[in-house]
Amino acid sequence: MSKDSYIFTPLPGKPNGPLLFLFHGTGGNENQMLGLALDLLPGVAAISPRGDVSEYGAARFFRRTGEGVYDMDDLARRTAKMADFIKAHVGAAKPSSVIGIGFSNGANILASVLFAEPDLFDATILMHPLIPFEPKVNGSLEDKRVLITAGRRDPICPPELTTRLDSYLRADGADVTLEWHEGGHEMRQNELVAARTFLAPYRLQQETGT
């Protein structure tokens, strides 16, 4: 799969440092998450692809037939395509670590890639994911670092499904941190604080080049 199989925006960063992949929410685009990346890991090299599925004009990463009702065949195809896209960029950049951050639909495609290719990422941040199916992990998530952030009153991502995803990941050996806020389907300050804390080892890695 070509590195150019998606429209994407790159952020140049320190050679051979961490490489960050950013995945926007429904209706966003490749620029939506860039400010977040620069806030969380200033100077990081990043790749932000645009979802290539249109839902009434809104960009997404895979098809659905209703809220929380996924086209699972399409999800499998799009997951494989995204995994190949990531591998192509990682192969070219040879980074010290690979990190994924996704919000909403972006968190869902990131989670799906994580299940399919656990060794692709050193760490992932899933912001308001909705995984309404039982994940089938191709391999093991043993010691993989995952941060999940969620709203206790999120009308799109019910808290019980967030808790179930947390349990699935832990049962497969992932090192999971779960951060809640009392609101809905929006990012809040405590999520950003949790993400900065979670990414601290990679910030040090970027600064020291080790």
Side-chain angles (χ1 to χ4, degrees), residues 26-44:
T26 298
N29 59 38
E30 64 275 21
N31 299 314
Q32 184 182 40
M33 303 281 283
L34 295 181
L36 178 64
L38 293 171
D39 178 56
L40 296 178
L41 277 175
V44 72

Side-chain angles (χ1 to χ4, degrees), residues 37-171:
L38 293 171
D39 178 56
L40 296 178
L41 277 175
V44 72
I47 302 292
S48 184
R50 182 195 302 176
D52 60 350
V53 170
S54 177
E55 183 179 88
Y56 304 108
R60 285 177 52 84
F61 289 101
F62 59 89
R63 301 185 191 283
R64 62 181 174 179
T65 58
E67 192 68 62
V69 184
Y70 297 163
D71 180 332
M72 297 302 291
D73 290 338
D74 186 69
L75 176 58
R77 288 191 297 270
R78 305 285 176 175
T79 296
K81 179 181 177 182
M82 183 61 74
D84 286 345
F85 172 81
I86 292 167
K87 289 175 189 176
H89 280 279
V90 170
K94 296 179 173 55
S96 57
S97 55
V98 181
I99 304 160
I101 302 179
F103 171 71
S104 191
N105 179 242
N108 300 338
I109 190 66
L110 175 56
S112 188
V113 173
L114 179 64
F115 304 149
E117 301 267 5
D119 292 335
L120 268 185
F121 294 101
D122 295 288
T124 53
I125 298 178
L126 307 175
M127 307 181 101
H128 299 261
L130 173 58
I131 304 298
F133 56 89
E134 183 170 351
K136 295 179 180 177
V137 179
N138 183 26
S140 173
L141 295 173
E142 190 71 31
D143 297 326
K144 292 292 179 181
R145 300 184 67 238
V146 181
L147 170 64
I148 302 172
T149 68
R152 294 191 185 277
R153 295 174 175 82
D154 192 330
I156 295 174
C157 303
E160 60 270 22
L161 293 188
T162 300
T163 302
R164 188 174 72 173
L165 174 61
D166 175 49
S167 297
Y168 285 151
L169 295 175
R170 291 179 191 275

